[in-house]
């Protein structure tokens, strides 16, 4: 998931400069569904696309810890608190895991983190929305993680081996996240009038941003074709969005909640048709003008800066130990 | 809901179990505030992991306290619907996190104490408590590895890190004395073989602490007279704020299921 920043991602290199024979062999391996491994030759554009995509995914996991972390201290039962801590911990784990996968492409985690903190790297816009109520935690699990799974399951078959293998584990955990979110939403929807109101309000606020997680419409997404050819991507943005809608509408009906789309209807072929998405809002959030962009980055910067003396101490201690071991 | 009014067959044991439970919950609450804000991703994971273990321990202990009381109170009733004057946690657990160094000093001291305590509780004549302790002890051994590893790294790291943890150790040390100031209830439970001897726990704690402080190039502070008694509900000013945060949503929706 979390790759809409790729709008400006793929360098121009695809066509011209790589050696055509190696390129042909590379494409043949991909066509044969072989995995590309870190030491294999790969076109630079393939490498750069993956670094961007995997690191954006990692950044999204790390920034995504913040809106949910907002409710750890106030989770309304000890069971929900345990689940939420475990979920946020998983996200940190995914971040660490994905940074490692990106490192196999020849870039250091510290450099990727610098890119995030300096604002040069993107992360999923969805985490720039606030979580003012507990129901937002339920909605994130149900909708945001639900959308993430739609995006990520095909990535388990991504042509780049380390990413594909990382995604197998990530998807297993995301599936738990989605289910706990839906279950928390169900408790609210079946709860008191105040809880039901909270649930509906969260759905109203998260529905459209969740749909926009799949990225721009295919007509506006210029890089899908290359990524599909390289089997980094298996489905187009609109295909995945439609899958998610078809999957989620009946779930909302089961909850007895109303999706905030007056134009939503089921077509004769069974698919649900949604009303138009407000891409101007999507673009505004992507450009840094969402409700929480500044706060999220400020929090990440503060954690990094406040922890500098700790990391320095760990390095100094390791050096002392190494020196003592030699002596 | 706040006052315990029903007759309880073994009030001493219930109180003892609540002390253990409250310390675990309050420490979990403090530690979990680091998630997403710690010095490195690995520390986010470490703090989350320990907080989860502590929460799990608290839940088992609250469930047992509820059974001992026999009045139908659940884990959430204990956690969310008691006032600060009902909480019986060790005071150190409720102190603010401070910087990462202060959190590590607090964690290491509490981990070492809890390891000594829970290892001995595995031999408790109270079978249920022994079972809970047996599960917890495996977790606490890992907690000690984590917190003592960091204490050594920070103590024997840079000048700045050394100064920070040395200061934290001095700040936190007065709160250790509460753990080893045995009261009549603890003494009675020790005589029954339910709780370990406080003196034995103290010896074990000091024995474990000494080599860690040596490796961290830190000096054990001298004991001071002033003592906090969170375990007898005499808390610092910090607990009220912690509980206000922890309990706010639950209390805003009385009787709701989540």
């Amino acid at each position: 998931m979390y790759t809409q920043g790729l709008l400006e991602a793929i360098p121009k290199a695809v066509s011209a400069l790589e050696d055509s024979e190696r390129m042909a062999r590379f494409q043949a391996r991909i066509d044969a569904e072989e995995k590309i491994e870190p030491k294999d030759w790969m076109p630079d554009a393939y490498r750069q696309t993956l670094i961007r995509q995997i690191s954006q995914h990692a950044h999204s996991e790390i920034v995504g810890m913040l809106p949910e972390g907002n409710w750890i201290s106030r989770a309304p039962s000890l069971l929900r608190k345990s689940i939420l801590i475990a979920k946020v911990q998983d996200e940190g784990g995914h971040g660490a895991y994905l940074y490692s996968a990106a490192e196999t492409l020849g870039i250091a985690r510290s450099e990727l983190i610098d890119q995030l903190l300096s604002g040069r790297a993107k992360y999923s816009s969805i985490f720039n929305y606030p979580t003012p109520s507990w129901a937002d935690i339920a909605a994130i699990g149900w909708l945001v993680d639900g959308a993430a799974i739609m995006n990520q399951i095909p990535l388990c078959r991504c042509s780049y081996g380390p990413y594909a293998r990382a995604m197998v584990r990530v998807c297993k955990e995301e599936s738990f996240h989605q289910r706990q979110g839906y279950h928390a939403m169900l408790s609210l929807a079946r709860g008191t009038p105040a809880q039901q109101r909270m649930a509906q309000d969260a759905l109203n606020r998260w529905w459209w941003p969740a749909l926009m997680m799949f990225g721009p419409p295919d007509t506006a997404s210029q890089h899908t074709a290359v990524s599909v050819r390289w089997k980094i991507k298996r489905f187009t943005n609109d295909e995945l969005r439609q899958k998610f809608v078809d999957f989620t509408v009946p779930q909302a009906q089961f909850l007895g909640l109303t999706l905030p789309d007056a134009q939503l209807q089921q077509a004769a072929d069974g698919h649900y048709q949604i009303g138009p998405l407000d891409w101007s809002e999507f673009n505004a959030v992507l450009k840094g003008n969402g409700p929480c962009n500044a706060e999220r980055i400020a929090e990440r910067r503060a954690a990094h800066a406040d922890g500098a003396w700790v990391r320095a101490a760990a390095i100094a201690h390791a050096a002392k130990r190494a020196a003592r071991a030699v002596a | 809901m706040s006052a315990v009014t029903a007759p309880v067959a073994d009030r001493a044991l219930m109180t003892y179990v609540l002390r253990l439970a409250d310390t675990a919950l309050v420490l979990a609450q403090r530690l979990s505030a680091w998630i997403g804000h710690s010095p490195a991703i690995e520390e986010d994971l470490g703090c989350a992991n320990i907080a989860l273990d502590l929460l799990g321990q608290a839940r088992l202990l609250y469930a047992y306290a509820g059974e001992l009381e026999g009045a139908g109170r659940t884990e959430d009733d204990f956690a969310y619907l008691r006032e600060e004057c009902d909480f019986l946690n060790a005071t150190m657990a409720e102190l603010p996190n401070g910087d990462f160094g202060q959190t590590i000093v607090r964690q290491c001291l509490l981990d070492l104490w809890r390891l000594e305590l829970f290892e001995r509780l595995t031999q408790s004549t109270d079978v249920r408590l022994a079972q809970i302790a047996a599960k917890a002890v495996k977790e606490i051994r890992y907690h000690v590895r984590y917190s003592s590893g960091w204490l050594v790294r920070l103590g024997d790291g840079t000048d700045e890190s050394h100064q920070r943890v040395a200061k934290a150790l001095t700040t936190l040390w007065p709160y250790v004395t509460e753990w080893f100031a045995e009261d009549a209830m603890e003494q009675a439970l020790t005589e029954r073989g339910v709780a370990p001897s406080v003196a034995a726990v103290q010896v074990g704690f000091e024995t474990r602490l000494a080599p860690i402080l040596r490796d961290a190039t830190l000096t054990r502070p001298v004991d001071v007279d002033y003592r906090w008694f969170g375990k007898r509900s005499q808390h610092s000013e910090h607990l009220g704020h912690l509980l206000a945060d922890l309990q706010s949503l639950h209390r805003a929706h009385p009787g709701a299921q989540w």
Side-chain angles (χ1 to χ4, degrees):
Chain A
M1 94 171 185
Y2 310 141
T3 52
Q4 71 265 55
L6 282 173
L7 272 173
E8 62 227 76
I10 298 179
K12 349 151 182 68
V14 191
S15 51
L17 31 98
E18 308 285 358
D19 169 72
S20 65
E21 199 179 314
R22 283 191 301 185
M23 190 71 165
R25 271 206 306 272
F26 173 80
Q27 189 63 50
R29 289 186 63 195
I30 292 204
D31 294 343
E33 297 287 338
E34 282 182 38
K35 292 286 179 244
I36 306 300
E37 297 298 337
K39 289 183 176 169
D40 297 344
W41 182 87
M42 64 187 82
D44 192 52
Y46 178 86
R47 183 184 302 276
Q48 295 310 324
T49 299
L50 277 165
I51 287 176
R52 279 200 183 78
Q53 179 162 336
I54 298 171
S55 63
Q56 278 180 20
H57 189 164
H59 298 328
S60 301
E61 298 281 359
I62 298 302
V63 176
M65 295 169 77
L66 299 173
E68 293 185 275
N70 182 35
W71 280 93
I72 289 176
S73 72
R74 295 172 291 167
S77 72
L78 295 186
L79 176 62
R80 289 284 170 214
K81 190 191 284 284
S82 298
I83 293 171
L84 184 56
I85 292 176
K87 178 179 191 293
V88 178
Q89 183 190 31
D90 281 351
E91 280 150 13
H94 296 173
Y97 218 56
L98 289 163
Y99 282 129
S100 297
E103 285 191 313
T104 65
L105 291 157
I107 188 162
R109 178 166 115 181
S110 56
E111 194 179 332
L112 295 172
I113 289 175
D114 280 347
Q115 289 176 4
L116 172 68
L117 299 181
S118 66
R120 281 174 290 146
K122 293 276 194 294
Y123 58 88
S124 178
S125 296
I126 197 77
F127 299 119
N128 291 319
Y129 291 90
T131 53
S133 93
W134 168 254
D136 294 316
I137 300 307
I140 288 178
W142 172 34
L143 299 174
V144 175
D145 293 317
I149 293 168
M150 287 291 165
N151 262 330
Q152 290 172 357
I153 284 178
L155 290 173
C156 298
R157 293 189 294 133
C158 166
S159 60
Y160 187 57
Y163 193 28
R165 290 188 288 274
M167 291 315 299
V168 172
R169 174 171 169 171
V170 169
C171 281
K172 281 184 190 160
E173 294 179 347
E174 291 292 353
S175 164
F176 152 73
H177 297 172
Q178 195 272 347
R179 277 181 284 142
Q180 68 80 34
Y182 191 72
H183 186 261
M185 207 66 172
L186 188 61
S187 298
L188 296 174
R190 303 238 165 116
T192 64
Q195 286 175 305
Q196 289 168 2
R197 194 174 67 223
M198 196 189 282
Q200 183 63 54
D201 169 64
L203 176 57
N204 292 348
R205 286 181 289 107
W206 288 94
W207 174 246
W208 294 109
L211 293 179
M212 288 188 243
M213 284 173 65
F214 295 93
D218 294 349
T219 49
S221 181
Q222 49 195 309
H223 301 299
T224 290
V226 180
S227 281
V228 168
R229 176 151 54 86
W230 280 342
K231 296 190 179 167
I232 293 173
K233 201 166 175 169
R234 299 262 175 179
F235 299 98
T236 69
N237 295 350
D238 286 335
E239 285 169 347
L240 290 168
R241 188 167 13 247
Q242 187 61 50
K243 260 181 194 251
F244 175 73
V245 169
D246 289 340
F247 197 71
T248 309
V249 171
Q251 293 181 336
Q253 289 168 343
F254 183 77
L255 290 171
L257 298 174
T258 307
L259 289 165
D261 180 356
Q263 295 179 48
L264 181 75
Q265 56 179 340
Q266 192 166 21
D269 62 2
H271 291 299
Y272 289 93
Q273 291 172 341
I274 54 170
L277 292 154
D278 180 4
W279 291 107
S280 63
E281 180 188 309
F282 174 83
N283 287 324
V285 180
L286 193 64
K287 288 192 177 109
N289 299 321
C292 297
N293 297 57
E295 283 168 72
R296 301 289 185 243
I297 286 298
E299 276 193 69
R300 287 309 313 155
R301 282 183 190 150
H304 192 73
D306 293 348
W309 70 271
V310 176
R311 296 189 301 274
I315 291 166
H317 178 71
K320 284 183 190 178
R321 281 179 65 124
R324 283 197 290 262
V326 172
Chain B
M1 196 55 87
S2 61
V4 181
T5 49
V8 179
D10 196 340
R11 182 170 300 282
L13 177 57
M14 181 194 162
T15 303
Y16 189 76
V17 169
L18 279 178
R19 286 181 180 182
L20 299 174
D22 288 344
T23 297
L25 173 66
V26 168
L27 188 58
Q29 180 77 357
R30 282 295 186 213
L31 201 55
S32 61
W34 277 105
I35 303 167
H37 304 278
S38 77
I41 302 172
E42 285 73 10
E43 280 29 85
D44 284 338
L45 303 184
C47 290
N49 213 35
I50 296 173
L52 264 181
D53 286 345
L54 289 164
L55 207 48
Q57 293 165 16
R59 294 177 63 196
L60 289 173
L61 290 161
Y62 283 136
Y64 185 33
E67 288 169 35
L68 287 167
E69 185 184 43
R73 282 207 279 186
T74 65
E75 59 179 34
D76 287 340
D77 293 334
F78 285 113
Y80 290 94
L81 298 177
R82 286 183 304 151
E83 309 297 326
E84 56 203 89
C85 61
D86 301 318
F87 269 74
L88 303 172
N89 57 284
T91 315
M92 192 189 290
E94 76 203 34
L95 299 179
N97 285 338
D99 64 15
F100 189 73
Q102 183 161 327
T103 293
I104 286 296
V105 173
R106 183 186 65 197
Q107 193 65 34
C108 189
L109 293 173
L110 279 159
D111 286 343
L112 291 171
W113 170 53
R114 294 182 81 247
L115 181 58
E116 277 301 321
L117 187 57
F118 279 76
E119 275 192 350
R120 286 175 165 75
L121 281 171
T122 62
Q123 305 302 314
S124 171
T125 53
D126 186 83
V127 175
R128 184 73 174 279
L129 198 50
Q131 287 169 342
I132 294 172
K135 180 177 184 298
V137 115
K138 292 179 200 148
E139 298 165 344
I140 302 171
R141 281 196 195 112
Y142 163 77
H143 303 172
V144 166
R145 273 180 56 190
Y146 180 85
S147 61
S148 66
W150 265 112
L151 186 54
V152 170
R153 244 171 258 137
L154 297 176
D156 186 31
T158 61
D159 288 345
E160 181 186 2
S161 69
H162 178 87
Q163 282 166 21
R164 283 178 185 253
V165 289
K167 183 163 174 278
L169 186 61
T170 308
T171 303
L172 292 172
W173 191 258
Y175 298 87
V176 168
T177 51
E178 165 187 4
W179 308 341
F180 306 123
E182 187 177 46
D183 56 25
M185 192 200 80
E186 285 165 331
Q187 199 176 6
L189 287 172
T190 302
E191 282 164 13
R192 288 165 52 193
V194 171
S197 138
V198 167
V201 172
Q202 181 171 19
V203 170
F205 168 80
E206 296 277 2
T207 305
R208 285 182 193 271
L209 179 63
I212 295 167
L213 290 184
R214 185 195 62 222
D215 290 349
T217 68
L218 294 165
T219 309
R220 181 194 181 284
V222 292
D223 294 331
V224 293
D225 285 340
Y226 194 73
R227 289 169 185 180
W228 296 88
F229 284 100
K231 68 180 178 184
R232 293 204 291 271
S233 295
Q234 296 160 23
H235 290 286
S236 73
E237 292 176 346
H238 304 292
L239 182 65
H241 295 279
L242 180 146
L243 293 179
D245 189 37
L246 187 150
Q247 298 176 337
S248 58
L249 178 60
H250 185 97
R251 287 190 179 220
H253 300 267
Q257 300 296 309
W258 301 94

